[in-house]
C-alpha cells in the first residue's frame, strides 16, 4: 500500500513538474520579441536589448534594407514590432496598404538634411540648381517642408505633407526638383547642387546629419517623430509595452545624446501628441 502511495505521489510530482515546465516555457516564449529595423545602425536597440534581457525579454533585431518590408513583415506576423519610421510615413503607408497596425511608443527624431558637395550654405545654391529629393510621397513632402524652412520654396498653407512637384507655389530660384530612390540620394551628390537625404541613409553613407549637412530639420518636426509599431491586436501586449518603457528611460536618452551628438534626438512624447 505504501509503495502504491509513493508511486502515486511520484507520478503527481512528475505531472506537476511537467506542467510548470510547460508553463515556464510558454512564458519565456511570450518574452521573445522580434523587432524589425531598417539600415545597419542598431546601436540604440543593442543598448535597449541589453536592458530588456535583464528583465527576461529576449530581443531579436531583424534588419531590412528598405522602408517597405518592415511593415509588411509586421502585418504578416513575421515580426512582433518594428522601429524605423516616422509617424507621418507610418500613417500614409498603412492607409495605402490597408494594414491594421498601431504605434505603441515614440522614440527619436532623426533630422533630415540638405547635403551638398558644391555649396556650404543653402543661400549659395544657384538659379536653376538641381535638388535631389526622395521619390516616395511622404519623404518628398518632408523634403519640401525642409526646403521651405530653408527659404528656398513656398508651399500652400494647407499642404498635406505628401509631395508632388505641382504643390510648390513659389520657386524663386527656379530650382529643378529631381526625385530619386531614397537610397540613391547620397550617390547623386556629384551630379546635383544639393541632395536631401534621410537621416539613416546619411549615416550609412558616412555622414553626420548635424555636422555634414548644410541645413537640417529642427527638433520640433512633430510629424517626423519616429515610433515603435505593432499589430493593433498587440498594442496592449505587456511585453511590448514594457519594451517601449525601457526605450524611454533616462539612461537611453543619455546614451543617444552621447553616442549621436545631436544627429539623433530622443523624443519621448505621449502618442496623443503626434496624431494618427
Amino acid at each position: 500500500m505504501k509503495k502504491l502511495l509513493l508511486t502515486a505521489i511520484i507520478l503527481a510530482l512528475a505531472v506537476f513538474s511537467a506542467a510548470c515546465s510547460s508553463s515556464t516555457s510558454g512564458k519565456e516564449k511570450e518574452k521573445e520579441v522580434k523587432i524589425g529595423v531598417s539600415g545597419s545602425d542598431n546601436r540604440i536597440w543593442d543598448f535597449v536589448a541589453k536592458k530588456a534581457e535583464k528583465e527576461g525579454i529576449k530581443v531579436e533585431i531583424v534588419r531590412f534594407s528598405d522602408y517597405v518590408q518592415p511593415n509588411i513583415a509586421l502585418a504578416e506576423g513575421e515580426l512582433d514590432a518594428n522601429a524605423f519610421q516616422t509617424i507621418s510615413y507610418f500613417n500614409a503607408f498603412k492607409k495605402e496598404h490597408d494594414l491594421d497596425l498601431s504605434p505603441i511608443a515614440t522614440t527619436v527624431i532623426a533630422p533630415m538634411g540638405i547635403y551638398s558637395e558644391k555649396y556650404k550654405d543653402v543661400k549659395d545654391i544657384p538659379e536653376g540648381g538641381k535638388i535631389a529629393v526622395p521619390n516616395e510621397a511622404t519623404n518628398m513632402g518632408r523634403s519640401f517642408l525642409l526646403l521651405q524652412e530653408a527659404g528656398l520654396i513656398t508651399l500652400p498653407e494647407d499642404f498635406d505633407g505628401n509631395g508632388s512637384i505641382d504643390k510648390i507655389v513659389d520657386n524663386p530660384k527656379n530650382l529643378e526638383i529631381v526625385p530619386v530612390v531614397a537610397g540613391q540620394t547620397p550617390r547623386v551628390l556629384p551630379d546635383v547642387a544639393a541632395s536631401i537625404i534621410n537621416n539613416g541613409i546619411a549615416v550609412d553613407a558616412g555622414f553626420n546629419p548635424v555636422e555634414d549637412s548644410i541645413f537640417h530639420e529642427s527638433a520640433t518636426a512633430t510629424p517626423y517623430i519616429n515610433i515603435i509599431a505593432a499589430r493593433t491586436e498587440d498594442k496592449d501586449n505587456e511585453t511590448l509595452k514594457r519594451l517601449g518603457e525601457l526605450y524611454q528611460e533616462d539612461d537611453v536618452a543619455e546614451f543617444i545624446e552621447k553616442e549621436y551628438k545631436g544627429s539623433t534626438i530622443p523624443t519621448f512624447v505621449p502618442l496623443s501628441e503626434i496624431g494618427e
Side-chain angles (χ1 to χ4, degrees):
M1 184 69 178
K2 288 182 179 179
K3 287 184 178 179
L4 287 172
L5 181 60
L6 182 60
T7 301
I9 291 171
I10 291 172
L11 285 171
L13 287 172
V15 170
F16 179 76
S17 175
C20 288
S21 175
S22 176
S23 174
T24 301
S25 175
K27 288 180 181 177
E28 288 174 353
K29 187 174 182 181
E30 288 174 4
K31 291 192 176 184
E32 292 178 0
V33 178
K34 284 187 178 182
I35 301 286
V37 301
S38 181
S40 60
D41 183 5
N42 303 310
R43 284 173 284 173
I44 302 172
W45 273 108
D46 288 340
F47 185 85
V48 174
K50 288 180 181 178
K51 292 178 56 177
E53 190 173 6
K54 294 176 182 177
E55 297 194 11
I57 303 172
K58 182 181 178 181
V59 176
E60 179 183 348
I61 299 170
V62 182
R63 296 171 177 83
F64 295 86
S65 60
D66 62 31
Y67 291 163
V68 174
Q69 292 307 311
N71 278 329
I72 301 299
L74 176 59
E76 293 179 350
E78 296 172 16
L79 303 170
D80 299 300
N82 66 37
F84 74 99
Q85 64 195 321
T86 66
I87 186 64
S88 177
Y89 177 85
F90 172 75
N91 286 338
F93 189 95
K94 71 173 185 175
K95 181 178 180 180
E96 179 183 354
H97 295 272
D98 192 26
L99 303 180
D100 193 15
L101 306 177
S102 295
I104 60 172
T106 54
T107 56
V108 298
I109 280 181
M112 177 180 269
I114 303 175
Y115 297 78
S116 177
E117 291 184 351
K118 301 177 177 70
Y119 308 104
K120 294 184 178 180
D121 193 301
V122 290
K123 295 177 182 177
D124 299 329
I125 294 174
E127 176 87 13
K130 292 182 178 180
I131 308 293
V133 301
N135 66 353
E136 181 274 322
T138 54
N139 278 314
M140 187 187 294
R142 183 178 184 181
S143 299
F144 287 179
L145 288 168
L146 182 58
L147 288 171
Q148 178 171 258
E149 188 179 351
L152 294 173
I153 65 171
T154 302
L155 298 167
E157 291 185 8
D158 60 350
F159 181 63
D160 63 2
N162 291 312
S164 65
I165 294 172
D166 60 358
K167 291 184 179 179
I168 298 173
V169 297
D170 190 25
N171 182 0
K173 289 189 174 184
N174 295 308
L175 300 174
E176 181 182 347
I177 306 299
V178 184
V180 299
V181 174
Q184 299 298 316
T185 48
R187 298 180 186 178
V188 300
L189 275 168
D191 305 315
V192 296
S195 184
I196 299 183
I197 308 176
N198 289 76
N199 184 289
I201 293 170
V203 170
D204 284 348
F207 296 120
N208 179 301
V210 171
E211 296 175 1
D212 297 323
S213 64
I214 61 173
F215 194 86
H216 61 81
E217 287 172 333
S218 67
T220 59
T222 306
Y224 307 116
I225 292 176
N226 283 31
I227 59 164
I228 302 172
R231 288 181 296 281
T232 300
E233 65 190 58
D234 294 330
K235 70 178 182 178
D236 295 320
N237 177 283
E238 291 301 323
T239 301
L240 295 180
K241 286 172 69 175
R242 181 58 185 149
L243 201 57
E245 291 169 354
L246 288 171
Y247 194 113
Q248 294 183 343
E249 289 180 342
D250 290 344
D251 59 339
V252 176
E254 291 167 5
F255 173 82
I256 294 170
E257 289 164 355
K258 180 179 179 181
E259 195 75 10
Y260 290 87
K261 298 178 173 60
S263 64
T264 295
I265 305 164
T267 315
F268 307 154
V269 302
L271 294 172
S272 59
E273 291 187 17
I274 61 174
E276 186 188 358

